[in-house]
Amino acid sequence: KQEVTQIPAALSVPEGENLVLNCSFTDSAIYNLQWFRQDPGKGLTSLLLIQSSQREQTSGRLNASLDKSSGRSTLYIAASQPGDSATYLCAVPGSGNTGKLIFGQGTTLQVKP
Amino acid sequence: EAGVAQSPRYKIIEKRQSVAFWCNPISGHATLYWYQQILGQGPKLLIQFQNNGVVDDSQLPKDRFSAERLKGVDSTLKIQPAKLEDSAVYLCASRTGGSYNEQFFGPGTRLTVL
Protein backbone atom coordinates (compact mmCIF):
# COMPACT_ATOMS: atom_id res chain seq x y z
CA LYS A 1 0.00 0.00 0.00
CA GLN A 2 1.40 3.34 -1.06
CA GLU A 3 2.13 5.82 1.72
CA VAL A 4 3.34 9.38 1.29
CA THR A 5 5.15 11.35 3.99
CA GLN A 6 6.10 15.01 4.00
CA ILE A 7 8.70 16.53 6.27
CA PRO A 8 8.63 18.99 7.91
CA ALA A 9 4.95 19.47 8.79
CA ALA A 10 5.52 23.20 9.19
CA LEU A 11 8.27 25.62 8.26
CA SER A 12 8.83 29.31 8.94
CA VAL A 13 11.52 31.24 7.11
CA PRO A 14 12.46 34.89 6.54
CA GLU A 15 11.75 36.41 3.17
CA GLY A 16 14.45 35.81 0.57
CA GLU A 17 15.60 32.48 1.88
CA ASN A 18 15.91 29.43 -0.37
CA LEU A 19 14.13 26.37 1.01
CA VAL A 20 13.50 22.69 0.35
CA LEU A 21 10.36 20.70 1.06
CA ASN A 22 10.63 16.93 1.22
CA CYS A 23 8.30 14.16 0.09
CA SER A 24 8.86 10.42 0.42
CA PHE A 25 6.80 7.50 -0.86
CA THR A 26 6.95 3.80 -0.07
CA ASP A 27 6.21 2.24 -3.47
CA SER A 28 8.65 3.38 -6.15
CA ALA A 29 6.53 1.98 -9.01
CA ILE A 30 4.97 5.34 -9.83
CA TYR A 31 4.56 6.93 -13.24
CA ASN A 32 4.50 10.52 -12.03
CA LEU A 33 4.47 12.77 -8.97
CA GLN A 34 2.59 16.02 -8.55
CA TRP A 35 3.19 18.99 -6.25
CA PHE A 36 0.24 21.16 -5.24
CA ARG A 37 -0.23 24.40 -3.37
CA GLN A 38 -3.23 24.99 -1.09
CA ASP A 39 -4.08 28.41 0.31
CA PRO A 40 -6.24 28.55 3.47
CA GLY A 41 -9.85 27.76 2.68
CA LYS A 42 -9.08 27.13 -0.97
CA GLY A 43 -8.72 24.19 -3.30
CA LEU A 44 -5.52 22.72 -4.70
CA THR A 45 -3.46 24.42 -7.38
CA SER A 46 -1.14 22.20 -9.39
CA LEU A 47 2.43 23.47 -9.34
CA LEU A 48 4.50 20.82 -11.06
CA LEU A 49 3.93 17.37 -12.55
CA ILE A 50 7.02 15.19 -12.95
CA GLN A 51 6.75 12.11 -15.14
CA SER A 52 8.74 9.04 -14.07
CA SER A 53 11.08 9.48 -17.04
CA GLN A 54 12.06 12.95 -15.81
CA ARG A 55 14.31 13.85 -12.92
CA GLU A 56 13.39 17.52 -12.63
CA GLN A 57 10.73 20.05 -13.52
CA THR A 58 11.05 23.80 -13.20
CA SER A 59 8.50 26.58 -13.11
CA GLY A 60 9.75 30.05 -12.25
CA ARG A 61 11.28 29.98 -8.78
CA LEU A 62 10.13 26.40 -8.22
CA ASN A 63 12.15 23.29 -8.99
CA ALA A 64 10.96 19.79 -8.24
CA SER A 65 13.13 16.70 -8.42
CA LEU A 66 12.18 13.05 -8.43
CA ASP A 67 14.32 10.06 -7.41
CA LYS A 68 12.15 6.98 -7.86
CA SER A 69 14.77 4.52 -6.67
CA SER A 70 15.02 6.17 -3.28
CA GLY A 71 11.33 7.04 -3.10
CA ARG A 72 11.91 10.76 -2.71
CA SER A 73 10.99 14.08 -4.23
CA THR A 74 12.00 17.58 -3.23
CA LEU A 75 10.44 20.94 -4.00
CA TYR A 76 12.97 23.75 -4.03
CA ILE A 77 11.70 27.31 -3.69
CA ALA A 78 14.22 30.03 -4.51
CA ALA A 79 14.18 33.51 -3.01
CA SER A 80 11.02 32.91 -0.98
CA GLN A 81 8.37 35.64 -0.75
CA PRO A 82 5.50 36.22 1.71
CA GLY A 83 3.13 35.29 -1.11
CA ASP A 84 4.60 31.78 -1.07
CA SER A 85 2.99 31.19 2.33
CA ALA A 86 0.65 28.22 1.90
CA THR A 87 0.45 24.47 2.42
CA TYR A 88 2.37 22.39 -0.11
CA LEU A 89 1.19 18.86 -0.86
CA CYS A 90 2.82 16.13 -2.88
CA ALA A 91 0.85 13.29 -4.42
CA VAL A 92 1.56 10.07 -6.30
CA PRO A 93 -0.79 7.74 -8.18
CA GLY A 94 -2.36 4.93 -6.19
CA SER A 95 -2.51 1.30 -7.26
CA GLY A 96 -4.74 0.11 -10.07
CA ASN A 97 -3.69 2.62 -12.72
CA THR A 98 -6.88 4.64 -12.27
CA GLY A 99 -5.08 7.91 -11.73
CA LYS A 100 -6.34 8.38 -8.17
CA LEU A 101 -3.84 10.31 -6.08
CA ILE A 102 -2.32 9.42 -2.71
CA PHE A 103 -1.38 12.59 -0.84
CA GLY A 104 1.07 13.44 1.87
CA GLN A 105 -0.19 15.43 4.83
CA GLY A 106 1.43 18.60 3.55
CA THR A 107 4.03 21.12 4.69
CA THR A 108 2.67 24.46 5.88
CA LEU A 109 5.08 27.22 4.91
CA GLN A 110 5.17 30.69 6.40
CA VAL A 111 7.46 33.28 4.82
CA LYS A 112 7.95 36.28 7.08
CA PRO A 113 8.54 39.74 5.61
CA GLU B 1 -10.79 27.62 -20.04
CA ALA B 2 -13.13 27.48 -17.04
CA GLY B 3 -11.92 25.44 -14.09
CA VAL B 4 -13.70 22.90 -11.93
CA ALA B 5 -16.73 24.47 -10.28
CA GLN B 6 -18.14 23.41 -6.92
CA SER B 7 -21.04 24.57 -4.80
CA PRO B 8 -21.80 25.45 -2.15
CA ARG B 9 -18.47 26.75 -0.87
CA TYR B 10 -19.48 26.41 2.77
CA LYS B 11 -22.15 24.42 4.58
CA ILE B 12 -23.00 24.09 8.26
CA ILE B 13 -25.46 21.41 9.34
CA GLU B 14 -26.52 19.56 12.47
CA LYS B 15 -25.56 15.92 12.87
CA ARG B 16 -28.05 13.48 11.40
CA GLN B 17 -29.08 16.02 8.74
CA SER B 18 -28.45 15.44 5.07
CA VAL B 19 -26.33 17.52 2.69
CA ALA B 20 -25.46 17.51 -1.00
CA PHE B 21 -22.51 18.92 -2.90
CA TRP B 22 -22.32 19.69 -6.60
CA CYS B 23 -19.39 19.58 -9.01
CA ASN B 24 -19.06 20.65 -12.62
CA PRO B 25 -15.77 19.43 -14.12
CA ILE B 26 -13.75 21.05 -16.85
CA SER B 27 -15.50 20.63 -20.17
CA GLY B 28 -14.50 17.44 -21.92
CA HIS B 29 -12.94 15.82 -18.85
CA ALA B 30 -14.25 12.27 -18.70
CA THR B 31 -12.74 11.39 -15.32
CA LEU B 32 -14.07 12.93 -12.13
CA TYR B 33 -12.89 12.41 -8.54
CA TRP B 34 -14.31 13.29 -5.14
CA TYR B 35 -11.78 13.63 -2.31
CA GLN B 36 -12.31 14.25 1.40
CA GLN B 37 -9.77 16.41 3.23
CA ILE B 38 -9.91 16.43 7.01
CA LEU B 39 -8.18 19.36 8.71
CA GLY B 40 -4.42 18.84 8.85
CA GLN B 41 -4.42 15.89 6.47
CA GLY B 42 -4.00 15.35 2.76
CA PRO B 43 -7.04 14.63 0.60
CA LYS B 44 -8.27 11.04 0.38
CA LEU B 45 -10.24 9.59 -2.51
CA LEU B 46 -13.91 8.85 -1.90
CA ILE B 47 -15.06 7.94 -5.39
CA GLN B 48 -13.92 8.08 -9.01
CA PHE B 49 -16.09 8.23 -12.12
CA GLN B 50 -15.20 7.55 -15.73
CA ASN B 51 -17.96 9.24 -17.72
CA ASN B 52 -21.05 8.16 -15.76
CA GLY B 53 -19.63 4.88 -14.49
CA VAL B 54 -18.00 4.27 -11.10
CA VAL B 55 -14.34 3.22 -11.32
CA ASP B 56 -13.43 3.15 -7.64
CA ASP B 57 -15.67 3.63 -4.60
CA SER B 58 -13.77 1.38 -2.22
CA GLN B 59 -13.22 4.18 0.32
CA LEU B 60 -16.76 5.58 0.19
CA PRO B 61 -18.77 4.96 3.39
CA LYS B 62 -21.73 3.60 1.50
CA ASP B 63 -24.03 3.44 4.51
CA ARG B 64 -24.20 7.23 4.50
CA PHE B 65 -22.46 8.57 1.40
CA SER B 66 -23.73 8.35 -2.16
CA ALA B 67 -22.62 9.93 -5.42
CA GLU B 68 -23.83 10.06 -8.96
CA ARG B 69 -22.73 11.48 -12.25
CA LEU B 70 -25.71 11.50 -14.55
CA LYS B 71 -24.97 12.07 -18.23
CA GLY B 72 -21.24 11.92 -17.52
CA VAL B 73 -20.85 15.62 -16.75
CA ASP B 74 -21.97 17.13 -13.41
CA SER B 75 -21.73 15.12 -10.23
CA THR B 76 -23.38 15.26 -6.84
CA LEU B 77 -22.10 13.84 -3.56
CA LYS B 78 -24.62 13.29 -0.77
CA ILE B 79 -24.25 12.52 2.91
CA GLN B 80 -27.25 11.17 4.81
CA PRO B 81 -27.21 11.20 7.79
CA ALA B 82 -24.15 13.32 8.58
CA LYS B 83 -21.87 12.60 11.53
CA LEU B 84 -19.50 14.91 13.38
CA GLU B 85 -16.51 13.18 11.77
CA ASP B 86 -17.75 14.15 8.32
CA SER B 87 -16.59 17.72 8.96
CA ALA B 88 -14.03 18.25 6.20
CA VAL B 89 -13.38 19.91 2.87
CA TYR B 90 -14.83 17.99 -0.05
CA LEU B 91 -12.78 18.46 -3.20
CA CYS B 92 -13.78 17.63 -6.73
CA ALA B 93 -11.14 17.05 -9.41
CA SER B 94 -11.22 16.15 -13.08
CA ARG B 95 -8.84 15.11 -15.80
CA THR B 96 -8.84 14.25 -19.44
CA GLY B 97 -7.09 11.45 -21.24
CA GLY B 98 -5.07 8.74 -19.56
CA SER B 99 -4.25 8.22 -15.90
CA TYR B 100 -0.84 9.81 -16.50
CA ASN B 101 -2.46 13.19 -16.99
CA GLU B 102 -2.68 16.04 -14.54
CA GLN B 103 -5.71 16.44 -12.26
CA PHE B 104 -7.35 19.82 -11.80
CA PHE B 105 -9.10 20.62 -8.55
CA GLY B 106 -12.08 22.79 -7.70
CA PRO B 107 -12.18 25.23 -4.74
CA GLY B 108 -13.83 22.68 -2.46
CA THR B 109 -16.83 22.69 -0.15
CA ARG B 110 -16.10 23.15 3.54
CA LEU B 111 -18.60 21.15 5.61
CA THR B 112 -19.05 21.69 9.33
CA VAL B 113 -21.24 19.22 11.21
CA LEU B 114 -22.38 20.43 14.63
Side-chain angles (χ1 to χ4, degrees):
Chain A
K1 178 184 174 185
Q2 179 72 272
E3 293 182 0
V4 181
T5 303
Q6 291 186 247
I7 295 173
L11 183 62
S12 181
V13 301
E15 182 177 4
E17 196 163 289
N18 302 325
L19 58 101
V20 175
L21 306 181
N22 296 294
C23 172
S24 62
F25 44 94
T26 55
D27 184 351
S28 62
I30 60 170
Y31 46 81
N32 62 33
L33 182 145
Q34 203 165 350
W35 280 94
F36 293 89
R37 169 182 173 141
Q38 186 172 33
D39 292 287
K42 301 289 179 65
L44 276 64
T45 300
S46 179
L47 297 174
L48 291 163
L49 172 69
I50 313 176
Q51 301 292 353
S52 60
S53 58
Q54 301 172 313
R55 292 189 63 85
E56 284 190 8
Q57 272 283 22
T58 298
S59 176
R61 294 182 294 107
L62 305 179
N63 177 275
S65 67
L66 174 62
D67 184 344
K68 281 184 57 178
S69 61
S70 66
R72 293 179 182 178
S73 176
T74 61
L75 179 66
Y76 175 82
I77 302 177
S80 58
Q81 302 171 358
D84 295 330
S85 298
T87 296
Y88 291 82
L89 296 147
C90 69
V92 298
S95 61
N97 199 31
T98 61
K100 71 178 181 183
L101 294 176
I102 307 297
F103 285 84
Q105 72 273 35
T107 294
T108 299
L109 172 66
Q110 182 184 32
V111 181
K112 297 180 178 179
Chain B
E1 178 182 77
V4 177
Q6 289 188 248
S7 68
R9 292 295 314 279
Y10 306 93
K11 190 75 177 178
I12 300 174
I13 62 173
E14 301 276 337
K15 61 182 179 183
R16 291 188 289 273
Q17 286 186 326
S18 62
V19 64
F21 313 127
W22 174 82
C23 172
N24 181 239
I26 293 173
S27 177
H29 283 198
T31 307
L32 184 148
Y33 305 84
W34 283 101
Y35 291 85
Q36 179 192 56
Q37 185 179 23
I38 293 172
L39 187 65
Q41 299 181 17
K44 293 181 180 177
L45 181 73
L46 290 174
I47 188 167
Q48 176 183 347
F49 291 94
Q50 180 74 20
N51 296 308
N52 60 350
V54 175
V55 174
D56 183 350
D57 63 356
S58 58
Q59 299 302 307
L60 188 73
K62 298 181 187 62
D63 58 332
R64 298 184 300 106
F65 286 65
S66 64
E68 60 182 10
R69 191 183 183 197
L70 300 177
K71 302 181 181 178
V73 182
D74 294 6
S75 177
T76 56
L77 177 70
K78 297 179 182 178
I79 307 175
Q80 183 179 11
K83 293 185 175 182
L84 297 177
E85 59 261 36
D86 298 331
S87 293
V89 176
Y90 292 84
L91 295 162
C92 179
S94 70
R95 66 166 171 81
T96 185
S99 54
Y100 286 56
N101 287 358
E102 190 173 357
Q103 287 185 31
F104 296 89
F105 282 76
T109 296
R110 180 175 296 277
L111 173 67
T112 302
V113 182
L114 302 175

